[in-house]
Amino acid sequence: MDWDGIGMDWDRLGRDWEGNGIDWPGVGIDWDGLGCTGAHLCPLPGVFICRGREDALVTRNLVPGESVYGEKRISVEDGDSKVEYRAWNPFRSKLAAAILGGIDQIHIQPGAKVLYLGAASGTTVSHVSDIVGLEGLVYAVEFSHRSGRDLINVAKKRTNVIPVIEDARHPHKYRMLIGMVDVIFADVAQPDQTRIVALNAQHFLRRGGHFIISIKANCIDSTAAPEAVFAGEVRRMAAERMRPQEQLTLEPYERDHAVVVGVYRPPPKEK
Ligand SMILES: C[S@@+](CC[C@H](N)C(=O)[O-])C[C@H]1O[C@@H](n2cnc3c(N)ncnc32)[C@H](O)[C@@H]1O
């Protein structure tokens, strides 16, 4: 297996894979001859690490035999059946970059219902679809018809992806298509992104649900320091009953980007 281009130097990155006190359950796969020594659950449910000559972040392919954007696949025997994983490139996905950067929680997990704003052609959406599995759902909103065509093709093969070709600024236009969700993930790269997430949260995010927002500093203010832009967005979130819990930058994969994870309308603390 040639993992060139997606190989990771884990020691250099934010996440301490070995020393985190977490038991890494192997999935009982023999990767010998494939260049992998095993696929392990990473501390985030539904996300795996293929360990080998070059380690790689992977998700378990919901549609074995199919790549979505030319990514590498690895198929291995698991008893009588086969399990296939797809490489997840952090240079092409901010969510993957956040995971490799050491984010504690993404809340996107098997069985979760996710509203994904800014789905583009479905690159990251496809990995979210792998993670949530057939018990979960991904409502994928994208307003570009060109990207939307690719997204619809992804959804034809992935029954847990519901493409919504609409402007995320107008959630009332797609309210009939979408149920309540556990998580909103937003990567629309718009100056009013926080307001867009807040509007969608009012319609669709359950109380105590979570949001993940990827912020590209120069989309919001190209004249201010990125840290000042991130701090301003965090203040805006707080004003919308969105309580940020974690923030990290996406270096070395993306420059001047941050991801903020938080909880929406947290229930009052019990006395
Ligand atoms: C940075 S790209 C998203 C990349 C994608 N998240 C991925 O990882 O594959 C931003 C996308 O958001 C879409 N977008 C921007 N504003 C939007 C809006 N108001 N409603 C829906 N989609 C929007 C753009 O068309 C573009 O495809």
Side-chain angles (χ1 to χ4, degrees), residues 94 116 118 120 123-124 142-144 166-169 187-188 190:
K94 282 147 217 153
Y116 190 122
T123 303
T124 302
E142 169 57 53
F143 72 176
S144 152
E166 286 286 357
D167 187 335
R169 291 189 177 96
D187 182 20
V188 288
Q190 295 282 3

Side-chain angles (χ1 to χ4, degrees), residues 122-162:
T123 303
T124 302
V125 165
S126 69
H127 290 284
V128 173
S129 150
D130 283 348
I131 294 170
V132 303
L134 292 175
E135 302 291 311
L137 271 179
V138 189
Y139 300 102
V141 181
E142 169 57 53
F143 72 176
S144 152
H145 285 260
R146 196 190 179 118
S147 302
R149 276 196 289 276
D150 295 336
L151 179 64
I152 287 168
N153 284 332
V154 171
K156 281 181 185 158
K157 298 203 170 136
R158 295 176 166 267
T159 53
N160 64 358
V161 174
I162 299 176

Side-chain angles (χ1 to χ4, degrees), residues 78 81 234:
D78 182 21
S81 56
V234 163

Side-chain angles (χ1 to χ4, degrees), residues 94-266:
K94 282 147 217 153
L95 188 56
I99 291 170
L100 293 181
I103 202 162
D104 277 341
Q105 284 282 349
I106 56 169
H107 305 284
I108 296 171
Q109 57 193 4
K113 295 190 171 52
V114 179
L115 174 56
Y116 190 122
L117 307 177
S121 301
T123 303
T124 302
V125 165
S126 69
H127 290 284
V128 173
S129 150
D130 283 348
I131 294 170
V132 303
L134 292 175
E135 302 291 311
L137 271 179
V138 189
Y139 300 102
V141 181
E142 169 57 53
F143 72 176
S144 152
H145 285 260
R146 196 190 179 118
S147 302
R149 276 196 289 276
D150 295 336
L151 179 64
I152 287 168
N153 284 332
V154 171
K156 281 181 185 158
K157 298 203 170 136
R158 295 176 166 267
T159 53
N160 64 358
V161 174
I162 299 176
V164 180
I165 312 304
E166 286 286 357
D167 187 335
R169 291 189 177 96
H170 304 296
H172 60 275
K173 288 193 180 171
Y174 48 88
R175 70 181 188 285
M176 303 306 283
L177 298 173
I178 297 186
M180 293 303 278
V181 300
D182 305 301
V183 185
I184 293 181
F185 177 86
D187 182 20
V188 288
Q190 295 282 3
D192 57 341
Q193 174 162 264
T194 297
R195 194 185 68 87
I196 291 174
V197 175
L199 266 177
N200 280 271
Q202 285 160 24
H203 279 77
F204 309 117
L205 188 55
R206 68 169 169 79
R207 188 186 186 113
H210 290 86
F211 60 87
I212 308 171
I213 306 184
S214 165
I215 306 170
K216 183 176 181 181
N218 71 13
C219 277
I220 290 165
D221 184 345
S222 57
T223 62
E227 290 67 30
V229 174
F230 303 147
E233 290 306 292
V234 163
R235 280 195 296 277
R236 266 187 212 160
M237 289 171 205
E240 300 277 6
R241 295 200 287 178
M242 296 160 63
R243 187 192 292 166
Q245 294 174 314
E246 192 179 358
Q247 176 182 334
L248 83 167
T249 59
L250 297 186
E251 260 102 89
Y253 308 107
E254 299 276 359
R255 189 181 277 177
D256 298 339
H257 280 67
V259 158
V260 176
V261 181
V263 62
Y264 182 59
R265 296 174 64 203

